[in-house]
Amino acid sequence: MAENEVSVGKIQQMLDWAYEKSLDGIPGMDSAYEMAENFLSKHDTSDKAIDSLIRWQNTKAATSGFLTGLGGIIVLPVTLPANVASVMYVQVRMIAAIAHMKGYDLKDDQVKTFVFVCLTGKSASDIFKSTGIKIGNSFAKQGVIKIPGKVITAINQKVGFRLLTKFGEKGAINLGKAIPIAGGVIGGAVDGIGTGIIGKIAKKVFV
């Protein structure tokens, strides 16, 4: 396998990195916690704050060059295109912020896995369904029940395979054309999965 080829293993490593940085924050950027509290402070309800966050993230997003712009401060765990890493970070942070707004503990492995599932967009419901997890009004109650580790592992694998089809060689090439690494802006749609769609899925998952 070529060093820069995207694999499920690399995707999963990158997701873990993006999640960790979302919680801890990257120099010059708000953490998921800070982003969530910022939007909550400006709106009457969490739903309004979430809608506002999704709109802002979808239109403003972030420059895909921020990872390379920070130089040696950012050390990626795997060799992936900087734009792919940027997209993952931006979207994972948004989903984590939404989960925090709804009162979920971001340090819970279960919540972390659900964040990753949201990243698959419209495929999220299929992934949950295939592992016997129903999302909806009763989801919050289910979240209290500890999901077995083997189920969490199975979900993470499904997420990895799903994202591989989006960020694989063809996807990486498409991303490279759509998002210039230096000073470019991440658009509303990333290889078929729009940031807005992901945000709406997250809002449904973290009820």
Side-chain angles (χ1 to χ4, degrees):
M1 180 180 292
E3 186 181 357
N4 62 349
E5 187 174 332
V6 181
S7 66
V8 172
K10 285 187 176 183
I11 291 288
Q12 291 176 333
Q13 281 182 277
M14 195 65 231
L15 287 174
D16 286 336
W17 176 88
Y19 194 80
E20 179 186 337
K21 295 302 180 184
S22 293
L23 270 55
D24 296 341
I26 286 178
M29 297 191 73
D30 288 344
S31 67
Y33 294 114
E34 292 167 334
M35 176 184 279
E37 294 302 327
N38 179 39
F39 276 87
L40 283 173
S41 70
K42 298 175 181 177
H43 298 276
D44 298 334
T45 66
S46 60
D47 282 340
K48 288 181 180 178
I50 289 171
D51 290 341
S52 178
L53 168 61
I54 294 171
R55 284 195 301 271
W56 176 83
Q57 195 76 85
N58 204 27
T59 55
K60 300 288 186 181
T63 57
S64 62
F66 77 82
L67 288 177
T68 52
L70 292 173
I73 298 175
I74 303 301
V75 179
L76 299 180
V78 292
T79 306
L80 282 180
N83 51 0
V84 174
S86 297
V87 170
M88 279 194 182
Y89 172 77
V90 168
Q91 294 185 339
V92 165
R93 184 180 61 155
M94 176 187 69
I95 300 166
I98 290 172
H100 178 65
M101 287 185 196
K102 284 297 184 177
Y104 285 79
D105 181 6
L106 297 183
K107 294 184 178 179
D108 187 302
D109 286 341
Q110 206 163 273
V111 172
K112 177 181 178 180
T113 293
F114 294 157
V115 168
F116 293 163
V117 174
C118 291
L119 203 60
T120 66
K122 293 179 180 178
S123 298
S125 58
D126 292 334
I127 292 176
F128 279 127
K129 190 180 297 182
S130 68
T131 49
I133 298 175
K134 296 179 181 178
I135 59 173
N137 294 332
S138 62
F139 183 71
K141 295 178 182 177
Q142 290 182 22
V144 178
I145 304 171
K146 200 65 181 176
I147 295 175
K150 62 181 181 180
V151 176
I152 291 290
T153 300
I155 293 174
N156 285 336
Q157 288 176 341
K158 289 178 184 293
V159 170
F161 280 116
R162 180 60 186 164
L163 292 180
L164 182 61
T165 66
K166 294 297 178 184
F167 293 120
E169 288 187 69
K170 182 179 179 182
I173 292 171
N174 288 343
L175 281 169
K177 289 179 180 176
I179 311 169
I181 292 180
V185 176
I186 296 174
V190 179
D191 197 26
I193 301 182
T195 301
I197 292 174
I198 290 174
K200 290 175 183 176
I201 295 294
K203 189 179 177 183
K204 289 181 180 178
V205 169
F206 295 107
V207 293

